[in-house]
């Protein structure tokens, strides 16, 4: 079956009307032979529209926010976890406590700390958190860990009931020692609890990279554990103007005012 295609050209509106339309010569290839012609299907119009799904998810009140809204009173829980073959370790900060004063201001009544939680492994990548042992690092103990060199070691002893009737019945000893190959440190927590008849020792190796992450988080959270961030948030320009207008000045103000 032969199909002969004929082309007809109309003058372009962009060309002057006085100029004749260009002549078009059909090449022999215009004659096309189709052996098994198939009926052509009508082309359906295709229209594209943007989906509202992601916008709805972004602005829907039920969608979880990517970060806590400013001024929100909701608490946020964070931590850093390390999983090894024989144990797992989580590092979590705990906020300081504040007490109100008669003047309406607040003071830090208890410094914050970092909670270490050790859990023994029961199988590959499985840990028994019901047997976890905890150790609270004070700000000074955090500083000691941050100052450790590649070959340094330290240890901390805690008695949760020190000064009370059950003193000596619970003993906790945390050791941080360098690994023999120099690739990191070895954390070992030993707990003797005669009240619960528990005597357990959990150890976990910490690589240089993991220890660097811990130190970075310690360095960031340390001022917050001391309450300094809360103090910085209350600094206002008018406070310095008010103190400069007072007739009496403290010793520190006199020292820096020289």
């Amino acid at each position: 079956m032969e199909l002969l295609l004929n082309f007809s050209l109309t003058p372009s509106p962009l060309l002057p009307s006085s100029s004749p339309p260009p002549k078009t010569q059909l090449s022999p290839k215009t004659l096309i032979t189709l052996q098994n012609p198939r009926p052509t299907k009508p082309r359906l119009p295709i229209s594209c529209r943007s989906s509202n799904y992601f916008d709805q998810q972004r602005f829907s009140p039920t969608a979880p926010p990517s970060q806590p809204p400013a001024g929100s009173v909701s608490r946020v829980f964070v931590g850093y976890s390390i999983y090894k073959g024989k144990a797992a370790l989580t590092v979590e900060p705990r906020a300081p406590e504040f007490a109100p004063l008669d003047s309406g201001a607040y003071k830090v009544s208890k410094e914050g700390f970092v909670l270490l939680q050790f859990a023994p492994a029961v199988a590959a990548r499985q840990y028994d958190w019901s047997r976890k042992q905890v150790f609270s690092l004070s700000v000074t103990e955090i500083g000691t860990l941050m100052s450790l060199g590649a070959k340094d070691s330290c240890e901390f002893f805690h008695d949760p009931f020190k000064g009370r009737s059950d003193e000596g019945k619970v003993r906790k000893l945390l050791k941080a020692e360098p690994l023999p190959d120099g690739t990191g440190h070895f954390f070992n927590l030993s707990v003797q609890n005669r009240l619960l008849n528990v005597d357990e020792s959990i150890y976990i190796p910490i690589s240089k990279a993991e220890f660097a992450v811990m130190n970075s988080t310690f360095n960031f959270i340390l001022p917050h554990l001391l309450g300094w961030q809360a103090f910085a948030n209350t600094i206002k320009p008018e406070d310095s103007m008010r103190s400069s207008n007072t007739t009496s000045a403290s010793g520190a103000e006199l020292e820096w005012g020289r």
Side-chain angles (χ1 to χ4, degrees):
M1 178 179 180
E2 295 184 353
L3 175 64
L4 183 62
L5 303 179
N6 294 326
F7 295 87
S8 61
L9 301 176
T10 58
S12 173
L14 300 178
L15 298 176
S17 58
S18 59
S19 61
K23 296 182 180 181
T24 303
Q25 295 181 356
L26 299 180
S27 63
K29 293 183 178 180
T30 309
L31 188 62
I32 304 175
T33 302
L34 301 177
Q35 296 182 357
N36 294 320
R38 295 181 180 179
T40 59
K41 297 181 180 180
R43 294 185 177 181
L44 300 177
I46 300 176
S47 60
C48 299
R49 63 177 182 178
S50 61
S51 174
N52 297 338
Y53 174 78
F54 293 103
D55 291 339
Q56 292 175 357
Q57 292 295 317
R58 186 181 305 170
F59 298 106
S60 172
T62 59
S66 57
Q67 61 181 7
S72 174
V73 296
S74 300
R75 297 187 62 185
V76 177
F77 297 93
V78 296
Y80 175 58
S81 300
I82 300 174
Y83 301 97
K84 295 298 174 70
K86 294 186 177 181
L89 169 65
T90 63
V91 184
E92 300 178 358
R94 291 293 186 267
E97 297 179 4
F98 299 86
L101 302 176
D102 295 337
S103 61
Y106 289 85
K107 71 173 183 179
V108 176
S109 59
K110 182 180 180 181
E111 294 178 348
F113 58 93
V114 168
L115 182 66
L116 304 181
Q117 300 183 73
F118 296 78
V122 294
R125 308 296 292 179
Q126 296 182 11
Y127 306 91
D128 188 358
W129 291 100
S130 64
R131 293 171 50 199
K132 71 178 181 181
Q133 300 294 338
V134 300
F135 195 92
S136 300
L137 290 174
S138 66
V139 292
T140 303
E141 292 169 338
I142 294 173
T144 302
L145 285 178
M146 294 177 62
S147 63
L148 285 181
K151 298 181 179 180
D152 296 335
S153 61
C154 66
E155 63 180 39
F156 310 113
F157 172 77
H158 284 187
D159 183 349
F161 298 100
K162 185 176 182 180
R164 289 181 282 182
S165 58
D166 289 333
E167 180 177 353
K169 295 183 179 180
V170 179
R171 301 169 58 88
K172 298 183 179 182
L173 181 63
L174 176 64
K175 293 183 179 181
E177 300 174 335
L179 293 173
D181 56 1
T183 58
H185 281 79
F186 190 82
F187 279 38
N188 182 16
L189 176 61
S190 300
V191 177
Q192 295 179 349
N193 189 334
R194 292 190 297 175
L195 299 176
L196 301 177
N197 195 23
V198 172
D199 188 355
E200 190 161 17
S201 180
I202 305 175
Y203 58 91
I204 181 172
I206 307 296
S207 67
K208 285 184 177 180
E210 294 163 342
F211 195 64
V213 174
M214 291 177 60
N215 279 341
S216 180
T217 57
F218 290 161
N219 186 64
F220 172 81
I221 202 63
L222 198 56
H224 298 262
L225 301 180
L226 294 170
W228 284 42
Q229 183 67 18
F231 164 75
N233 291 336
T234 62
I235 298 176
K236 299 178 181 179
E238 54 268 24
D239 293 339
S240 60
M241 297 175 60
R242 187 182 306 113
S243 61
S244 62
N245 294 331
T246 57
T247 56
S248 60
S250 64
E253 293 171 344
L254 289 174
E255 177 182 351
W256 288 105
R258 293 176 182 175

